[in-house]
Structure formats: structure tokens, C-alpha cells
Amino acid sequence: MVTVMTVLSVVVGILAVGFGGIVMSGGPMTGVTPPLVPEDSPTHGSPPWPVFQVVMKLHNLFAYLARVTIPPNLHVMNVATSYWQSEVLYSLTYNGILQYLVDENSLKSCADVASSLHLQEMVVCEYMKAGEHLGFLQSTDNGSNYGLTEAGKLSTGGMKDWILFINEETKDAWRAAGTESIRTGVSGFQSQFGLELFAWHNEHPDKEAQFDGAMTSLGPAAVGALLSGWSPPALSSTVCDIGSGVGTLVAEILQHYPEAKGMTLDQPSVSERATVYMEEKGLGHRAQVFGSSFFDPFPPEMATCDVFFMRFILHDWGDDDCIVILKQIKQAASGPKNGNKVKLAIMEQVTDTNAGAAMERAKSLMSINMIASCSFGARERTMEEYAQLFAAAGYSGAPKLIKLREIFSVLEVEI
Ligand SMILES: C[S@@+](CC[C@H](N)C(=O)[O-])C[C@H]1O[C@@H](n2cnc3c(N)ncnc32)[C@H](O)[C@@H]1O
């Protein structure tokens, strides 16, 4: 009895401390309310701050309890075999099994799936059973017929390119990072493929397009949280996204701020797709697309930018390269701007922001993902490390941390 009471007291104590923390910390509600929130806006998916904070505290508590209550041998087993799980998801995606269930729009047996896709029935059935254990499929009648869960549907649509990218070239780069980069100081990707990721993608257009899709798939949740927590300096600002990919971020910002204008800059091969993307979104008249390198001087039109944005860019590069990019932005922003200060906002998985154990762990793994995938020196950074980069590039202001209802944060600095 004493033991149960003690455990309950500890749990209640933890909850009380957590709740107190939530009340005390509040939410960094910077930014103006977007004037236009389209029906399908990702901001609708962004939970209110109190809900987000309560859920994250509870998640951390449960994750902690799960961690300390699992027998150590099982924990080792789980971690050592965790790639089995991503292999199951990869196979279900790569072989079109999840997609088939979407297209057919009805429950199917694994035998039906195997026969329609010309695959081995026994293997398909085992993968689908494992897919159910992992929460991507759900079956009726004890495994006779399968349909998709919400996670399974996401894996066919928005997140498909991400699943493929992260389990194809990135996977080999991870192994090389842990076995070779750690000794040689050459990135995992370079060790494995002989070229850095972006150069290799230039030679493999299908993989480059898949990478664009992977980046786009990270967009909705990230943009929803961004638009809820950050705003451009004015409603009519020109927002310039550097290393924009196909331009999803600028497109979302323009949809929310109907008076705003945008510019995107990425490699020429990617910017061709950005032009198409902007036209498809009906934003061609408000967005200018540029194809050039962010290591070179920017197009003169970018002197009119009110805010430069970089999402998931600096974590791709070592310090010296980051400083070159930051200096190019400073150079582009140096023209007269009616006395207004131009800002830079970066969105990254800034580490050590007290985001809670689960998020800090995910950021730490993403940091290794950068070591594996990008040129040597790439990694996630702390706010202090970013501040040092800004200072080294000649930025005078101190960066402001804007926490979002996501694993990503924004750092904003005057240029
Ligand atoms: C991690 S992705 C981020 C894309 C986009 N910001 C997003 O959040 O979806 C990095 C981007 O940097 C671009 N990039 C790489 N090297 C570049 C260069 N030298 N100049 C311009 N863009 C470059 C890539 O093409 C890619 O679109």
C-alpha cells in the first residue's frame, strides 16, 4: 500500500510540477494573426499552446516511464532492431502495397494484394502483419482483410518521398558516418557515393525530385506552426526564401498574407520546378523565382527583400560555408530600404531549447543525420552556436529565439 501511495505521490508531483511549468512558461505568441487562413491551412493543425504544452509534458512523462520500466535487455533489443521497423515501412511503400490499398479504396487480403502486385504471397502477408503491428495497417477478421490507418494514409501521400529518401541514399550514408566519417572527417555521403548529396542529386534528377518531395512533405506541419508563431515584419513584406526547394514555404506565406510578395532562390535545376509549382498555386504573379547558388552574389532584385528566410539550410553546412551564405545575404540586404532594417529568419531544429526529452532526442538524431547526409561540419546547432555564426558573418544584432509548436524553432536576427 505504501508503495502504491508513494508511486501515486511521485506521479502527482511530476504532473503538478509540469502543470506549474506550463502556466509559468506561457507561449511565445509573437507575430500577427494571419489575415487570411485558407480552409485547408496547415495552421488548423497547430494545437493551441496550452494543449501543445500539456501533451508534450505528458508525452515526456510517459516516454520516461516507458524507458525506466523496460528491462535493459529488451531496451537493447528494441534499439538494435529498430531498423527492422523502418524496413517494413519502406517495403510497404516501395512496393506500392500501401498505395494499392488507397487506390482500391476497399479492404483487401494480403493474398489479393500479392496477386495484384505480382509479389510473393507469403512475404507480403508477413510484411502486412508487421505493418499492422507498427500501426500502418488495420485488419478485420483476425488478419483476413487489411485497410490503412491514418499513419498508413500519410505514408502514401504527403510523407511517401520522405520515407523513400530517408531509407535509400541516406541509409547508406548513415552507416558510413558511424564507421568512416568518425575517423576520416569526410561526410558519410561523400564516403559512400563519392560526391556530396546536392552534387550527387544533380547527377540523379529522379532522386533530386524525390528529395524535393521529401522536403515538401515536411512542410505542412512545419508551416502551420510557423505561421502560428512567426510573422513577416509587415503585411505587405517581400519574403525571400534562400535554398527554397520548390517554394512551398513562400507559397504558404503568400496564401496567408495576400498583400505580401515573395522570392525564391535555389539551384537552377530545382528552381525550374519552383516556377512550375508557383504557377500551379496561382502565385506566379506574386513570386519571383531565381536559379543560382547561395554561395554567389544574389540577383539584384533581392535588394528589395524585407526579410530573408532560410528553412533547413544552415544545418546542411559546416561553419565556414554557413558564414559565406550569411555574408551573401548581408550583401544582398545592404541596399537602401527606406530606413527599415532587413531581417533574417532561420528555421531549424535548434538544440538545447528545453523542448523536452523526446524532442531533444529527435534533434540529436537529426544532427547525426546531417553528419551522414551533408558535407562534413553539417549538424544541428544550439542558439549560442548560431549566434556565433551570425556574429562571424558581421550581423550585429542578437538573435531572438521563437519557439514553435513543433520540433523546429525560428531564430530571427537583424542583418
Ligand atoms: C534541406 S533542403 C531545404 C529546402 C527548403 N528550404 C525546405 O525547407 O523545404 C536544402 C535546399 O538547399 C538547396 N541548395 C543546396 N545547395 C545549394 C546552393 N549552392 N545554392 C542554392 N540552393 C542550394 C537544395 O537544392 C535544397 O532545395
Side-chain angles (χ1 to χ4, degrees):
M1 193 61 189
V2 171
T3 316
V4 172
M5 285 307 290
T6 309
V7 170
L8 276 177
S9 308
V10 169
V11 170
V12 169
I14 291 171
L15 285 173
V17 169
F19 187 70
I22 292 160
V23 171
M24 297 302 287
S25 61
M29 292 300 289
T30 59
V32 297
T33 305
L36 173 68
V37 182
E39 203 42 34
D40 59 349
S41 167
T43 56
H44 295 305
S46 203
W49 266 110
V51 173
F52 175 76
Q53 286 173 309
V54 169
V55 170
M56 286 315 298
K57 296 266 188 237
L58 284 176
H59 178 76
N60 282 319
L61 173 64
F62 293 138
Y64 171 77
L65 293 176
R67 174 91 180 272
V68 295
T69 50
I70 192 172
N73 61 326
L74 258 187
H75 182 56
V76 173
M77 192 69 184
N78 281 349
V79 175
T81 61
S82 58
Y83 80 94
W84 294 357
Q85 302 183 25
S86 44
E87 284 295 325
V88 169
L89 178 59
Y90 179 73
S91 173
L92 293 172
T93 308
Y94 174 82
N95 292 300
I97 294 172
L98 299 179
Q99 188 62 49
Y100 176 78
L101 292 172
V102 171
D103 295 343
E104 290 297 304
N105 198 22
S106 62
L107 299 180
K108 293 283 170 198
S109 69
C110 56
D112 284 342
V113 174
S115 144
S116 302
L117 298 178
H118 309 292
L119 299 169
Q120 293 293 322
E121 182 177 319
M122 180 275 286
V123 186
V124 169
C125 291
E126 290 302 316
Y127 269 82
M128 290 182 73
K129 197 193 293 178
E132 182 173 17
H133 285 299
L134 293 176
F136 296 98
L137 296 169
Q138 54 197 359
S139 70
T140 57
D141 311 328
N142 250 343
S144 302
N145 285 302
Y146 287 93
L148 293 173
T149 62
E150 279 309 307
K153 287 179 199 153
L154 250 188
S155 308
T156 59
M159 304 222 49
K160 180 177 171 188
D161 282 337
W162 169 256
I163 293 165
L164 295 176
F165 161 66
I166 217 70
N167 287 286
E168 289 177 352
E169 58 265 37
T170 313
K171 185 168 80 61
D172 297 332
W174 261 80
R175 173 57 60 87
T179 54
E180 294 181 39
S181 309
I182 204 163
R183 291 170 217 288
T184 60
V186 175
S187 81
F189 205 94
Q190 173 90 34
S191 307
Q192 190 66 25
F193 296 95
L195 285 173
E196 293 297 358
L197 175 109
F198 295 118
W200 187 82
H201 275 170
N202 287 162
E203 293 191 359
H204 298 81
D206 55 328
K207 297 287 185 180
E208 189 179 69
Q210 182 169 286
F211 178 73
D212 286 350
M215 289 301 112
T216 302
S217 72
L218 294 185
V223 172
L226 174 73
L227 289 171
S228 305
W230 174 88
S231 62
L235 296 180
S236 60
S237 292
T238 299
V239 181
C240 299
D241 190 15
I242 306 305
S244 56
V246 295
T248 47
L249 176 69
V250 162
E252 298 277 4
I253 290 175
L254 296 192
Q255 280 167 344
H256 281 74
Y257 294 96
E259 294 167 36
K261 292 192 281 303
M263 296 187 196
T264 67
L265 183 144
D266 205 292
Q267 306 182 85
S269 51
V270 177
S271 66
E272 282 171 25
R273 288 191 286 279
T275 305
V276 175
Y277 186 80
M278 289 301 173
E279 289 300 332
E280 279 173 3
K281 293 275 168 188
L283 294 167
H285 60 298
R286 289 166 61 205
Q288 280 180 279
V289 173
F290 297 104
S292 69
S293 172
F294 46 45
F295 293 115
D296 297 332
F298 289 7
E301 290 89 335
M302 290 198 146
T304 61
C305 298
D306 295 298
V307 56
F308 288 87
F309 210 102
M310 283 197 286
R311 185 176 66 174
F312 314 148
I313 298 300
L314 295 182
H315 75 167
D316 289 347
W317 302 96
D319 291 357
D320 291 347
D321 285 327
C322 289
I323 292 167
V324 174
I325 300 169
L326 290 169
K327 282 185 173 171
Q328 291 297 358
I329 291 176
K330 187 170 170 59
Q331 179 64 30
S334 64
K337 282 292 306 172
N338 305 323
N340 291 330
K341 286 273 187 195
V342 180
K343 288 186 173 173
L344 167 69
I346 64 164
M347 186 169 174
E348 296 284 2
Q349 295 197 8
V350 182
T351 52
D352 298 345
T353 58
N354 287 326
M359 284 210 193
E360 293 299 341
R361 185 185 63 178
K363 293 187 225 174
S364 143
L365 291 174
M366 184 56 92
S367 198
I368 298 177
N369 189 50
M370 293 301 118
I371 294 171
S373 324
C374 296
S375 58
F376 197 78
R379 65 192 182 286
E380 303 300 341
R381 295 177 171 86
T382 61
M383 182 161 164
E384 290 69 34
E385 288 171 325
Y386 279 114
Q388 282 166 13
L389 291 180
F390 296 141
Y395 294 41
S396 49
K400 183 173 79 175
L401 176 72
I402 302 171
K403 287 188 180 182
L404 302 178
R405 282 162 258 181
E406 249 291 350
I407 195 165
F408 319 106
S409 309
V410 168
L411 281 181
E412 199 177 60
V413 62
E414 278 185 3
I415 296 177

